[in-house]
Amino acid sequence: MIETPYLLFLGDAPDQLAAKVAIGIKDWRPENAVGQYRMEGCKADLGLTDMCLTEAKEAGAKTLVIGVANRGGVISQEWKKVLVMALEEGFDLASGLHNLLCDEPDLVAVAEATGRKLHDVRVPSVEYPIANGIKRKGKRCLAVGTDCSVGKMYTAMAMDAEMCERGMKSTFRATGQTGILITGDGVPLDAVIADFMAGSVEWLTPDNDDDHWDLIEGQGSLFHVSYSGVTMALIHGGQPDALILSHEPTRDHMRGLPTYQLPTLEALRDTALGLAKVANPDCQVVGISVNTQHMSEEDATAYLAKVEADMGLPATDPFRFGSGKLVDALAAL
Amino acid sequence: MIETPYLLFLGDAPDQLAAKVAIGIKDWRPENAVGQYRMEGCKADLGLTDMCLTEAKEAGAKTLVIGVANRGGVISQEWKKVLVMALEEGFDLASGLHNLLCDEPDLVAVAEATGRKLHDVRVPSVEYPIANGIKRKGKRCLAVGTDCSVGKMYTAMAMDAEMCERGMKSTFRATGQTGILITGDGVPLDAVIADFMAGSVEWLTPDNDDDHWDLIEGQGSLFHVSYSGVTMALIHGGQPDALILSHEPTRDHMRGLPTYQLPTLEALRDTALGLAKVANPDCQVVGISVNTQHMSEEDATAYLAKVEADMGLPATDPFRFGSGKLVDALAAL
């Protein structure tokens, strides 16, 4: 568990896009974002108050989160100066970078000397059990995609926010680096050892109130040959009561696999539901989440109407048009 | 790659069953088994020549393989005396135990001093790539099961042996600890990090001659919620041209999951084939392998005949009745 709230470290980000993790935190957990720390030459700006370490400490920040992808995959000397100072000021550090904090001897030494924590959210910190398949209390919803990176995390985040507003009981359950940094907790599923994948998802989504919904962050796709095993473990470890189908209609091949076509929504529905029923015979597909960012509003609206008619299920772009329809579908279950 | 041939260490095995790994090596790679090493009180006997370390060395053995499950999950002091002597005599050591050789400081020290290798086949020794899904040359066959431990490894082993006898080109590709120790090479798939599972299977089954068959050792089951992600990665990483359905008809629930029923062979066929076609649209289900060890010969024969009639596919118990029918089906593809 990463201590909140955060000071968001944007470093010397070359552009706004490089600060994707920080943007996610600001969008979905603004209460966790006390301020931003920018170095000379930083081209990203979240519109948060710029703070030095002392100011952030006084404002209550507990952890400095590296909210930016670094250049060349290494932690630069310029960054390190700030990180060391942050440890000495009493901040924990959290990072989703490939270059692990705990692989840097100087950071490890300072963290030990100051009694601070280094959180590398790419590395599992728990010994997960092997899945036992026992039916758990409470309800779970999982978004499954026709491809990777079609908006499964944003769908779950948006539904969680809507359910919170409605006073429904829900928890977003992070299964990836960005989600973990946003919420402060979760399972870095792509880094879990094969035998323990489904068990880690069971661990992440334990017994809960009968009317509580876990909104589990999806990963990969059953139709993406590189990562389908991870998706499979989510479906069987998560025991979802409800599946949301996620899709990006303008993509002309599977991400990173130029010769692979995306499946139809019908194929995704039938394949995912059949497999989900192994772990939860009552599972239902309740709605469709479409990422329309590359479509005009008119095209997006027309596409969603057609999908609703073809599939007989509510369809929305939760980021663009809200997730109300999907939450209605959960509430009706 | 573990150097062959082996001296098979049976230790103080309490019974024959504890020597399962050694039995597998002797059954499937007798040419790798120079002799057996038994300690006082050993209740297992493979019928191989009992040898001391010096005799085995003279007979050409290169590696001492721990062919037995140990008591209490730890390497005892009695075992260790033999293991240290073996290193000093010039043997490498290989083990599939949970208690890793490389976690024992004294073994590590002696191995370093003598220049010998410690092979812990539970631990991946390769940095596997992420799967790229590119179609590879050569042919691949994968057994998929209605459950775990229904005979998928023995099916692949038996087919490999039969194909070798017929002069067909084939290679057994091990994906589990026992298979790796039997053949000296492979991928310990259940210990691979989630993101690299399918890539490790691609790595294991590279381009080959057009008429060469990789017989890939199956793992888990698409219907076993604890391990289905591993099976999924085998199906998509392996790009099988041919699937064999494996089944054990007397089991009344999924292994380790008392409330889960086994799927029908029809459900396994449809689910596995649909997913396999994502990676290889030409994939076919070519036969059925039934583990009849708990049935009388009469019952087994009747059951196989019924399965053949119901499914329209050749069915055999490859261990009991030979794998000829399954190899015929591959040859006919």
Side-chain angles (χ1 to χ4, degrees):
Chain A
M1 193 94 187
I2 303 168
E3 276 205 83
T4 56
Y6 305 148
L7 172 62
L8 299 179
F9 177 77
L10 305 185
D12 45 4
D15 52 37
Q16 191 79 355
L17 207 65
K20 198 180 111 178
V21 169
I23 294 169
I25 294 171
K26 190 210 147 202
D27 280 353
W28 296 111
R29 291 289 183 277
E31 69 276 19
N32 285 353
V34 164
Q36 61 185 16
Y37 185 105
R38 302 195 296 160
M39 291 166 56
E40 210 179 296
C42 181
K43 300 285 199 310
D45 184 355
L46 304 186
L48 295 170
T49 310
D50 284 298
M51 291 184 177
C52 71
L53 295 170
T54 316
E55 289 164 343
K57 196 74 201 162
E58 279 165 10
K62 298 275 202 302
T63 302
L64 181 138
V65 171
I66 299 182
V68 59
N70 57 348
R71 299 186 207 191
V74 292
I75 296 173
S76 69
Q77 284 308 311
E78 288 70 37
W79 279 29
K80 206 172 269 178
K81 277 181 214 160
V82 181
L83 302 182
V84 166
M85 278 193 301
L87 289 169
E88 286 170 347
E89 287 274 351
F91 289 92
D92 292 341
L93 303 182
S95 161
L97 299 175
H98 277 287
N99 183 169
L100 302 183
L101 298 170
C102 66
D103 282 346
E104 298 297 311
D106 40 0
L107 293 180
V108 172
V110 178
E112 275 177 15
T114 56
R116 306 319 313 167
K117 286 191 186 142
L118 304 178
H119 297 281
D120 284 302
V121 301
R122 278 190 187 271
V123 183
S125 56
V126 173
E127 281 203 20
Y128 302 114
I130 286 180
N132 62 30
I134 295 170
K135 176 76 180 156
R136 303 189 292 291
K137 287 180 188 158
K139 295 198 173 295
R140 285 156 201 88
C141 174
L142 174 70
V144 291
T146 51
D147 193 3
C148 299
S149 306
V150 290
K152 298 185 295 292
M153 186 185 85
Y154 263 59
T155 300
M157 284 283 188
M159 291 174 71
D160 182 44
E162 172 78 14
M163 292 170 86
C164 179
E165 248 179 52
R166 294 192 192 182
M168 294 170 70
K169 294 183 196 168
S170 74
T171 310
F172 172 81
R173 299 294 188 183
T175 63
Q177 283 79 24
T178 305
I180 295 172
L181 286 174
I182 292 175
T183 58
D185 205 1
V187 167
L189 188 57
D190 61 10
V192 172
I193 301 271
D195 250 5
F196 304 98
M197 292 187 300
S200 75
V201 181
E202 291 188 349
W203 175 90
L204 182 68
T205 59
D207 275 323
N208 215 317
D209 295 343
D210 286 339
D211 57 346
H212 177 278
W213 282 93
D214 275 332
L215 297 161
I216 307 172
E217 180 188 354
Q219 295 292 339
S221 164
L222 287 170
F223 293 83
H224 195 295
V225 296
S226 310
Y227 308 115
S228 51
V230 179
T231 313
M232 184 76 260
L234 275 164
I235 292 174
H236 281 170
Q239 302 180 344
D241 301 274
L243 293 174
I244 307 277
L245 309 181
S246 293
H247 186 50
E248 205 284 60
T250 69
R251 213 167 274 186
D252 58 6
H253 61 75
M254 296 292 283
R255 191 176 162 93
L257 304 174
T259 64
Y260 285 76
Q261 300 305 302
L262 272 73
T264 61
L265 283 166
E266 287 84 352
L268 174 63
R269 175 195 62 199
D270 296 344
T271 303
L273 187 59
L275 291 165
K277 280 176 179 286
V278 171
N280 184 351
D282 298 328
C283 184
Q284 295 181 40
V285 176
V286 300
I288 299 166
S289 151
V290 182
N291 177 345
T292 64
Q293 66 176 323
H294 299 301
M295 304 167 89
S296 70
E297 184 153 340
E298 198 186 335
D299 287 352
T301 308
Y303 182 84
L304 289 169
K306 180 166 179 351
V307 165
E308 289 201 337
D310 288 351
M311 301 288 293
L313 288 166
T316 185
D317 180 332
F319 195 63
R320 193 173 196 170
F321 303 119
S323 63
K325 283 185 181 182
L326 302 178
V327 172
D328 291 344
L330 285 197
L333 259 197
Chain B
M1 192 94 188
I2 303 168
E3 276 205 84
T4 55
Y6 304 149
L7 173 63
L8 300 178
F9 176 77
L10 305 186
D12 46 4
D15 52 39
Q16 191 78 355
L17 207 66
K20 195 181 113 178
V21 169
I23 293 169
I25 295 171
K26 189 210 147 202
D27 280 353
W28 296 111
R29 290 292 182 277
E31 69 275 20
N32 285 353
V34 164
Q36 62 186 16
Y37 185 104
R38 303 196 294 159
M39 290 166 56
E40 209 178 295
C42 180
K43 300 284 198 312
D45 184 356
L46 305 185
L48 296 170
T49 310
D50 284 297
M51 290 183 179
C52 72
L53 295 169
T54 315
E55 288 164 343
K57 196 75 200 162
E58 278 167 9
K62 299 275 202 302
T63 302
L64 181 139
V65 171
I66 298 181
V68 59
N70 57 349
R71 298 186 209 195
V74 292
I75 296 174
S76 68
Q77 285 307 312
E78 289 69 38
W79 279 29
K80 207 173 267 175
K81 278 182 212 160
V82 181
L83 301 182
V84 166
M85 279 195 299
L87 288 168
E88 286 172 347
E89 286 274 351
F91 289 92
D92 292 341
L93 303 183
S95 161
L97 298 176
H98 277 287
N99 182 171
L100 302 182
L101 299 171
C102 67
D103 281 346
E104 298 297 312
D106 41 359
L107 293 180
V108 171
V110 178
E112 274 176 16
T114 55
R116 305 320 314 168
K117 286 189 185 141
L118 304 180
H119 298 281
D120 283 304
V121 302
R122 277 189 187 271
V123 183
S125 55
V126 171
E127 281 203 19
Y128 302 114
I130 285 180
N132 62 29
I134 295 170
K135 175 78 182 155
R136 303 189 294 289
K137 287 180 188 157
K139 295 197 174 294
R140 285 156 201 88
C141 174
L142 174 69
V144 290
T146 50
D147 192 3
C148 298
S149 308
V150 290
K152 298 185 296 292
M153 185 184 86
Y154 264 58
T155 300
M157 285 281 188
M159 291 175 71
D160 182 44
E162 171 79 16
M163 292 170 86
C164 177
E165 248 179 50
R166 293 191 193 183
M168 294 170 71
K169 294 183 196 166
S170 74
T171 310
F172 172 81
R173 300 294 189 183
T175 63
Q177 283 78 23
T178 306
I180 295 172
L181 286 174
I182 292 175
T183 59
D185 205 1
V187 167
L189 188 56
D190 61 11
V192 172
I193 300 266
D195 249 6
F196 304 98
M197 291 187 301
S200 75
V201 180
E202 290 188 349
W203 175 90
L204 182 68
T205 59
D207 274 325
N208 216 316
D209 296 343
D210 287 338
D211 58 346
H212 177 278
W213 282 93
D214 274 332
L215 298 161
I216 307 172
E217 181 187 353
Q219 295 291 340
S221 164
L222 288 171
F223 294 83
H224 195 295
V225 296
S226 310
Y227 308 114
S228 52
V230 179
T231 312
M232 185 75 262
L234 275 163
I235 291 174
H236 281 169
Q239 300 181 344
D241 302 273
L243 293 174
I244 307 277
L245 310 180
S246 293
H247 186 51
E248 206 282 62
T250 69
R251 213 168 275 186
D252 58 7
H253 61 75
M254 296 292 283
R255 191 177 162 93
L257 305 174
T259 63
Y260 285 77
Q261 300 306 301
L262 272 71
T264 62
L265 282 166
E266 287 83 353
L268 174 63
R269 176 194 63 201
D270 296 344
T271 302
L273 187 60
L275 291 165
K277 280 176 178 286
V278 171
N280 185 350
D282 298 328
C283 184
Q284 294 180 41
V285 176
V286 300
I288 299 164
S289 151
V290 182
N291 178 344
T292 64
Q293 66 176 323
H294 298 301
M295 303 167 88
S296 71
E297 184 152 342
E298 198 186 335
D299 287 351
T301 308
Y303 183 84
L304 289 169
K306 179 163 180 356
V307 165
E308 289 200 337
D310 290 350
M311 301 287 294
L313 288 165
T316 185
D317 180 332
F319 195 64
R320 192 172 196 172
F321 302 118
S323 65
K325 282 184 182 183
L326 303 177
V327 172
D328 291 346
L330 285 197
L333 259 199

